[in-house]
Amino acid sequence: MSSIRESALAPVPDRARPGRAPVSAAQACGVSVFPLLGAGLALAGIPVREVLLLLAGCGAIGAAVYAVGGGGRRLLEAFAAAVTAAARK
């Protein structure tokens, strides 16, 4: 005989506990498209400095959208972790 009741609910995952979330398709696409776009623009004759400025601006817009959408908490946590890691080195 099982100790699990038939009417028992399945456990709900605890989203508040720390851990890494799986990489989404949007993140994987963004990480792979940026270098390809930069290489394509550089091969098209645009100076590398302008390509880097364009991609940095796109990244800043993406980070701002992510911060607004997530309430800024995750972005601030990532920024704090990066600053802490840089300070240790």
Side-chain angles (χ1 to χ4, degrees):
M1 187 152 186
S2 175
S3 62
I4 300 175
R5 294 177 295 156
E6 289 184 24
S7 62
L9 298 174
V12 177
D14 184 13
R15 304 257 185 237
R17 69 178 170 197
R20 292 194 161 234
V23 176
S24 70
Q27 291 170 327
C29 182
V31 168
S32 62
V33 166
F34 263 66
L36 294 174
L37 182 62
L41 290 172
L43 290 173
I46 298 176
V48 174
R49 182 178 187 155
E50 290 183 23
V51 170
L52 292 176
L53 285 173
L54 173 69
L55 294 179
C58 291
I61 291 170
V65 168
Y66 184 74
V68 169
R73 181 176 156 229
R74 288 186 185 171
L75 187 63
L76 288 175
E77 286 175 355
F79 182 70
V83 169
T84 304
R88 289 183 186 164
K89 291 184 179 187

